[in-house]
Amino acid sequence: MPSSPAPVLHYIFDPLCGWCYAAAPLLAAARALPGLAVQWHAGGMLSGAARRTITREWRAHVIPHDERIAALTGQPFGDAYYNGLLNQVGATLDSTPPIAAMLAAEAMDGRGLDLLARAQTAHYVEGQQISTLGVLQSLAGELGLDIRTFTAHCQEVLADTVQSHIQESREWLQASGGQGFPTFVLEFTDRSSGQRVAQRVDIGPWLGNPAGWAEHLQQGLERAAGALPRD
């Protein structure tokens, strides 16, 4: 009898979403679980017509959210972000370039989520403008990716596939019943029915507790496989 497809954790997010940065330790814990694949879907929160520039009003809007994230999860926010980047009035906030960079890194070496993690630190701790190609090239180089190849991939993705990826990600969000970014959906084969099912997973109780989240995910996988009784 052929084996069932491996369980997949779908991650629907945006690289410029503060609450996705809050969930970054949960994503890292999920990626470390044996036998669980992670598939990402970047939804373009600040893409296209939603792209914006930093203003004093934007700074006043996001800082209370960032402070709440820091208190809840322990995620670091640097002075270079609070008093550097957020004071750069007129700087562009555009989700499309970092999404394209992730797609390029994924195509080159399966490193899309590694680039996301590095870009989030660059933005929220180091105050770098991750919507600019030069910054993204530098981050890719830090990951050991060939910058010329990476740049060519980025340009190709920006011209061809990034918009379809964003649209498909938004369709994933709608189909999952998620209310926004981030949303996690666990897809697995139900042993009792043999059917492939997808269930949205609430991360609210686990923000700031990646070890508990990993245990919760593991128990869910074991229940799906029939190794544990259902609640």
Side-chain angles (χ1 to χ4, degrees), residues 20 34 41 82 105 107 134 161 167 174 185 215 219:
C20 297
H41 311 268
Y82 279 135
T161 59
Q167 181 58 36
Q174 183 176 11
V185 178
E215 183 178 356
Q219 289 177 352

Side-chain angles (χ1 to χ4, degrees), residues 58-73:
W58 176 261
R59 183 178 190 273
H61 170 72
V62 299
I63 283 180
H65 294 281
D66 296 336
E67 290 175 341
R68 183 181 173 202
I69 289 167
L72 183 64
T73 68

Side-chain angles (χ1 to χ4, degrees), residues 164-180:
S164 61
H165 175 89
I166 288 171
Q167 181 58 36
E168 289 168 5
S169 299
R170 292 174 178 175
E171 290 169 1
W172 259 98
L173 180 63
Q174 183 176 11
S176 73
Q179 299 303 304

Side-chain angles (χ1 to χ4, degrees), residues 32-94:
L33 281 179
L36 178 63
V38 177
Q39 183 173 337
W40 54 271
H41 311 268
M45 181 182 73
L46 297 180
S47 290
R51 182 177 61 179
R52 63 177 305 133
T53 58
I54 293 176
T55 62
R56 293 181 179 87
E57 292 76 16
W58 176 261
R59 183 178 190 273
H61 170 72
V62 299
I63 283 180
H65 294 281
D66 296 336
E67 290 175 341
R68 183 181 173 202
I69 289 167
L72 183 64
T73 68
Q75 284 285 79
F77 290 81
D79 184 70
Y81 168 73
Y82 279 135
N83 296 311
L85 179 61
L86 290 184
N87 281 325
Q88 294 177 28
V89 173
T92 298
L93 297 171
D94 185 352

Side-chain angles (χ1 to χ4, degrees), residues 78-167:
D79 184 70
Y81 168 73
Y82 279 135
N83 296 311
L85 179 61
L86 290 184
N87 281 325
Q88 294 177 28
V89 173
T92 298
L93 297 171
D94 185 352
S95 300
T96 300
I99 293 172
M102 289 182 64
L103 289 167
E106 189 71 23
M108 290 176 67
D109 198 24
R111 303 291 299 280
L113 289 176
D114 293 336
L115 184 60
L116 172 65
R118 182 65 191 92
Q120 286 174 322
T121 298
H123 179 77
Y124 289 107
V125 179
E126 300 163 6
Q128 298 194 58
Q129 294 187 33
I130 65 168
S131 296
T132 61
L133 180 59
V135 168
L136 294 167
Q137 289 171 318
S138 177
L139 301 180
E142 290 179 26
L143 295 181
L145 300 176
D146 180 77
I147 294 178
R148 290 183 62 181
T149 305
F150 169 80
T151 303
H153 273 292
C154 269
Q155 291 170 340
E156 180 180 345
V157 169
L158 284 167
D160 186 32
T161 59
V162 68
Q163 294 305 324
S164 61
H165 175 89
I166 288 171
Q167 181 58 36

